Amino acid sequence: MKIAIYPGTFDPITNGHLDIIERATQLFDKVIVTVAVNSSKTPMFTGEERVEMIQAVIKQKRLTKVTVERFNGLLVSFAAKKKATAIIRGLRAISDFEYEFQMALMNRKQSNKIDTVFLMPAEKYTYLNSSIVREIARLDGKFRDFVPPSVYRTMKKKLKN
Ligand code: COA
């Protein structure tokens, strides 16, 4: 059984992330979306909320090979615990490369049992990231096309409160 983890902050999950998840399911038997809760970022949504939003999307899209978990600590240790042999990362543009290159090599230095697999999302998602979606949403701009419908509703609700 080939298991991959797909780590990130997912604050919130976007259609770009979803595109990567769907591609990963073509390559692996099981994909664990791994929500980092101890990142240096100040998230809009709690770890629990981010997990719930992803769970709703997985259910709605009937992605039976995909599960979601919160994680704290070193990524490669989490991967080993889950018996994952690959870390999935999305590469959107050249600007992602340097950061991703550093992370992939550092992760390999920590454990040579795990490889990083880079997947490219559809071109229409290459300009997306979670911060820009949050900013547009906060400023009452249009963001319906960037996130799954359930995430859109959750964001609208959060901003109303
Ligand atoms: N579509 C849309 N947006 C995408 C995307 C895609 N396909 N792929 C990445 N992004 C965006 C994210 O939304 C995020 O945007 P933001 O900065 O506006 O929030 C940005 O690109 C990159 O962030 P993300 O993919 O969430 O990763 P991250 O850099 O926040 O997370 C971890 C990095 C959590 C994987 C990394 O810090 C980690 O492994 N931490 C654990 C501790 C550890 O082991 N450290 C050593 C690592 S070498």
Side-chain angles (χ1 to χ4, degrees), residues 9 14 16-17 20 41 73 75 89 92 99 107 128 130-131:
T9 310
T14 66
H17 292 128
I20 297 289
K41 298 179 178 175
L75 188 64
R89 294 289 289 171
R92 292 158 299 172
Y99 173 62
N107 280 330
L128 267 188
S130 298
S131 313

Side-chain angles (χ1 to χ4, degrees), residues 45-137:
F45 295 98
T46 64
E48 210 170 305
E49 286 171 327
R50 283 177 271 150
V51 166
E52 279 170 11
M53 281 191 280
I54 298 168
Q55 266 162 350
V57 174
I58 290 170
K59 199 171 157 201
Q60 193 243 326
K61 287 274 173 186
R62 295 198 176 87
L63 295 167
T64 49
K65 291 180 178 179
V66 184
T67 58
V68 53
E69 289 193 36
R70 268 196 289 181
F71 107 104
N72 235 318
L74 197 66
L75 188 64
V76 292
S77 309
F78 180 84
K81 210 166 86 190
K82 296 290 159 186
K83 299 191 169 32
T85 52
I87 296 170
I88 305 285
R89 294 289 289 171
L91 261 193
R92 292 158 299 172
I94 281 286
S95 52
D96 282 343
F97 184 75
E98 244 175 275
Y99 173 62
E100 294 298 337
F101 183 74
Q102 182 189 30
M103 269 214 301
L105 292 183
M106 187 53 97
N107 280 330
R108 183 185 281 167
K109 203 82 186 146
Q110 303 298 310
S111 164
N112 60 11
K113 291 202 177 97
I114 188 137
D115 264 304
T116 303
V117 174
F118 294 106
L119 296 176
M120 286 172 80
E123 300 95 286
K124 60 182 174 187
Y125 300 133
T126 49
Y127 60 94
L128 267 188
N129 68 22
S130 298
S131 313
I132 204 157
V133 172
R134 288 197 307 273
E135 182 173 302
I136 301 278

